[in-house]
Amino acid sequence: MSRQAEVVRSLLATLVAGGLRHLVISPGSRSTPLVQAANERAELTLHVVLDERAAGFFALGLARATQTLCGTVCTSGSAVAHVLPAAIEATESGDALVALTADRPAAVRGLGASQAILQPGLLAPYAQHFAEIDAQHPDVDALLATLQHALGEASSRGGVVHVNVPLSLPLALTPGDLPLLPSPLTAPQRPLQPAVPPPAPNERVLLLAGPLAFSDDVAPFLRARLPRHQVVVFAEPASRLRDALGSVRHADAFLRDAEVRAALLPDRILRLGAWPISKGAQLVLEDAKRLGIPADTVQPRRFSDPLRQNRLTSLDGIPDALRLWPVADGQREPLPWIADWQVIDAAVAPPASDWHEASAIDAVARTLHKEQTLVLGNSMPVRDWESFAPELDAHIHVEVSRGAAGIDGTLATIAGLAVGRAQQVTAYLGDCTFLHDVGSLQILAQLNGRHAGIRLCVVDNDGGAIFDYLPARSAMPESVHVACFTTPHGLNLAEIARGFGLDVIACADLAAWRDAVAEPVRPGRTQVLLARFERTSSEAMHRAYWLAAGQAGRLALSVRA
Ligand SMILES: Cc1ncc(C[n+]2csc(CCOP(=O)(O)OP(=O)(O)O)c2C)c(N)n1
Ligand SMILES: [Mg+2]
């Protein structure tokens, strides 16, 4: 067997030993031996996606669904650059990804050879580890051993490993035996972080859970240790703790009111996960900063503390910082402060009956059951879900790409989640988010029959409605706001989806929408449900809701006084 074939096979063995289980192949010539060697490894499940950008997001979805290291392999040249957006999201949200890129031999770099570009470092700084596995190197074993450490690091803590592989002609693998897998590395024991103190008697604690708070096993742990009589939980859907911990539901709306917020401030905030999406939660954190209310931050993977309030942190999946908390006693009278939160939360009701985002979300949410994954698109959809969704079964997997909060790659990520988790996936996303990744409809079309069913609920308000709420809008002519920010497209999304052979239902009223969501999704099929809304009436609905929530909160406080 040639030296190159031997090194490529050893590389695949190292990747498998490092935890790689799913590999997404984008076709190309230079990557031939990598693809052949991948086909030889029974441990790997292989997928094929034409567009490397979509392949990256598909692998990201697989990594999220399976909580394992997943990878892409592509040819040399500009193909490599397309993996960057998924690498950014993986890095920022703590998913484990390997980008395997074929390259021309190092000797032809810089000479104008075809498809020979500067690949080393191209994914930096969003690849925490870079390895060039070159059969010409004098000590390939040392390179592979270093790579194995990097893979272990990415598997346990999340992050991206870029493996660039210069390959010479002839490319096709010569026959040879499979190398043995390298023996697994043992992870070093890291010391426990200092504990965040448990609530003192009568201390009012607000628990704010933002995106990426914790993995599934943490909710029962927290439930046992949070003293119900003194902790208020405000958990966003993206935290995955919202329904498991019994969160208040309308806090984003009533905390926008300064008077209500002032009455509800806690003695201490405990933040879990990344920076909150909710405006109301952000305002509480800003007030806390101004007033010197302490906020501890406990984060599983990615550190975020933009207001620099944090005293303690843990970067572990299991919250070391909370591990030393005793199991809470539930015997005491609830603090009056808790009752204030609850009374106000109960006094606020989202608008229910007309045809708008609130009623559309309510209808979708009521169809979900526990063996399902829910994907929320960025922009208004994730925010609207937090505002308007009723309580869900706590076992539903809620997924949002909040690492970099992009509207890119959403359809490919959904496809990866559907295949990786083998569960029905319901997604709720905006029209621009859909169009941004429209090429990935091809993946959904090709996956027909290979998943439990995908329902894409697309809110088509003909542009990016989120920009209607930004303060900058009033600083420019409305025509500039619409042309340069909202960007109406006027496209017929139904025809686009039908062109890819997907099942489509376009709904113009709530009755049609309710009928559509009541029908189960056919296993193996992707269905697109379109809800058409006018941006102006949608904006009026949101503003009226926020106003009413503030008024209801103030009224509840005055009655109590
Ligand atoms: C990759 C990327 N490009 C641009 C943005 C900026 N951006 C945020 S929201 C948004 C519009 C989203 O529109 P849509 O998906 O229709 O949701 P809506 O705002 O209408 O609810 C844009 C362009 C982004 N977050 N990510
Ligand atoms: Mg939109």
Side-chain angles (χ1 to χ4, degrees):
M1 149 166 70
S2 72
R3 175 70 182 145
Q4 180 162 290
E6 199 182 317
V7 168
V8 166
R9 287 194 172 103
S10 298
L11 168 59
L12 265 292
T14 304
L15 292 169
V16 168
L20 188 72
R21 290 296 172 269
H22 289 268
L23 186 63
V24 186
I25 298 166
S26 297
S29 160
R30 188 60 49 167
S31 43
T32 300
L34 297 170
V35 171
Q36 281 183 293
N39 269 286
E40 292 174 349
R41 300 262 29 149
E43 302 91 341
L44 289 179
T45 304
L46 303 179
H47 313 263
V48 180
V49 172
L50 174 67
D51 165 1
E52 294 80 11
R53 188 196 55 82
F57 282 107
F58 186 69
L60 180 87
L62 288 167
R64 261 183 207 167
T66 59
Q67 293 289 298
T68 60
L69 185 68
C70 294
T72 57
V73 56
C74 69
T75 191
S76 62
S78 57
V80 179
H82 290 280
V83 186
L84 183 60
I88 292 173
E89 176 59 29
T91 295
E92 295 291 333
S93 60
D95 297 300
L97 219 58
V98 184
L100 196 54
T101 61
D103 201 350
R104 302 281 161 134
V108 304
R109 270 182 210 145
L111 300 179
S114 170
Q115 240 174 302
I117 66 160
L118 292 179
Q119 294 184 190
L122 195 54
L123 301 183
Y126 291 98
Q128 290 69 53
H129 306 279
F130 175 78
E132 181 152 88
I133 305 299
D134 189 341
Q136 312 295 324
H137 192 278
D139 194 351
V140 173
D141 287 349
L143 293 177
L144 291 173
T146 309
L147 172 62
Q148 203 188 341
H149 277 279
L151 295 169
E153 189 69 11
S155 286
S156 61
R157 309 193 133 248
V160 178
V161 183
H162 179 188
V163 185
N164 194 55
V165 192
L167 292 160
S168 314
L169 301 178
L171 291 168
L173 282 192
T174 48
D177 295 332
L178 282 191
L180 293 177
L181 291 186
S183 30
L185 299 174
T186 47
Q189 288 291 317
R190 281 177 305 108
L192 280 187
Q193 306 271 346
V196 170
N202 295 330
E203 188 184 27
R204 301 168 305 172
V205 176
L206 172 62
L207 186 142
L208 284 180
L212 314 165
F214 288 113
S215 55
D216 298 341
D217 55 339
V218 174
F221 172 90
L222 286 175
R223 255 200 316 271
R225 281 164 176 78
L226 293 172
R228 295 258 133 211
H229 41 80
Q230 58 193 110
V231 175
V232 168
V233 176
F234 175 8
E236 301 182 350
S239 70
R240 306 189 184 139
L241 295 176
R242 181 178 173 87
D243 300 291
L245 292 183
S247 174
V248 287
R249 305 210 76 81
H250 310 301
D252 174 66
F254 62 72
L255 290 175
R256 289 168 188 252
D257 185 287
E259 203 180 306
V260 175
R261 206 163 62 243
L264 296 179
L265 285 176
D267 299 319
R268 174 150 70 98
I269 296 173
L270 179 60
R271 251 190 69 210
L272 305 182
W275 188 242
I277 307 172
S278 153
K279 179 81 182 156
Q282 292 176 10
L283 289 169
V284 168
L285 285 162
E286 282 167 19
D287 285 356
K289 172 78 178 177
R290 198 166 35 81
L291 299 170
I293 296 172
D296 296 318
T297 309
V298 181
Q299 304 187 13
R301 284 186 164 174
R302 179 196 175 208
F303 182 68
S304 69
D305 184 24
L307 295 182
R308 316 218 311 140
Q309 325 173 258
N310 165 63
R311 298 187 302 179
L312 296 159
T313 189
S314 161
L315 293 171
D316 268 336
I318 296 292
D320 286 346
L322 306 179
R323 211 193 288 278
L324 305 180
W325 280 26
V327 171
D329 86 79
Q331 303 307 316
R332 268 178 275 160
E333 275 293 298
L335 297 175
W337 173 75
I338 297 252
D340 286 347
W341 274 85
Q342 285 168 345
V343 167
I344 294 174
D345 199 41
V348 177
S353 53
D354 295 338
W355 175 226
H356 44 47
E357 290 89 339
S359 53
I361 286 173
D362 188 80
V364 174
R366 289 179 195 285
T367 68
L368 302 177
H369 54 81
K370 68 179 183 182
E371 280 86 27
Q372 286 197 5
T373 293
L374 169 69
V375 181
L376 299 173
N378 276 317
S379 203
M380 291 308 282
V382 63
R383 294 174 169 85
D384 283 345
W385 193 278
E386 128 73 32
S387 300
F388 304 131
E391 194 167 342
L392 304 181
D393 188 296
H395 295 92
I396 292 171
H397 287 98
V398 182
E399 302 284 358
V400 194
S401 280
R402 283 311 287 189
I407 59 163
D408 50 346
T410 309
L411 301 182
T413 307
I414 290 168
L417 285 164
V419 171
R421 200 171 273 142
Q423 279 190 338
Q424 191 178 310
V425 176
T426 297
Y428 179 79
L429 62 148
D431 52 315
C432 294
T433 303
F434 177 86
L435 286 170
H436 204 290
D437 199 21
V438 76
S440 294
L441 290 178
Q442 188 191 359
I443 308 179
L444 294 170
Q446 283 169 353
L447 282 178
N448 252 341
R450 292 179 39 209
H451 51 77
I454 298 173
R455 171 173 276 160
L456 304 177
C457 301
V458 182
V459 180
D460 183 4
N461 47 25
D462 197 19
I466 197 167
F467 297 112
D468 287 344
Y469 304 96
L470 296 186
R473 179 181 181 184
S474 57
M476 66 184 83
E478 186 63 10
S479 58
V480 174
H481 166 70
V482 172
C484 301
F485 293 87
T486 322
T487 59
H489 46 78
L491 294 171
N492 185 332
L493 304 190
E495 288 307 316
I496 292 172
R498 281 196 194 103
F500 283 85
L502 305 182
D503 303 332
V504 179
I505 305 178
C507 301
D509 58 41
L510 185 55
W513 182 258
R514 283 190 176 140
D515 285 349
V517 297
E519 285 295 316
V521 185
R522 286 155 61 195
R525 297 286 300 173
T526 296
Q527 180 196 53
V528 180
L529 292 188
L530 290 163
R532 187 61 217 258
F533 295 122
E534 294 305 320
R535 277 194 312 279
T536 43
S537 50
S538 165
E539 185 188 352
M541 183 274 285
H542 281 86
R543 292 201 190 278
Y545 170 57
W546 294 329
L547 197 67
Q551 282 167 348
R554 273 181 273 133
L555 185 67
L557 287 170
S558 69
V559 169
R560 178 217 49 175

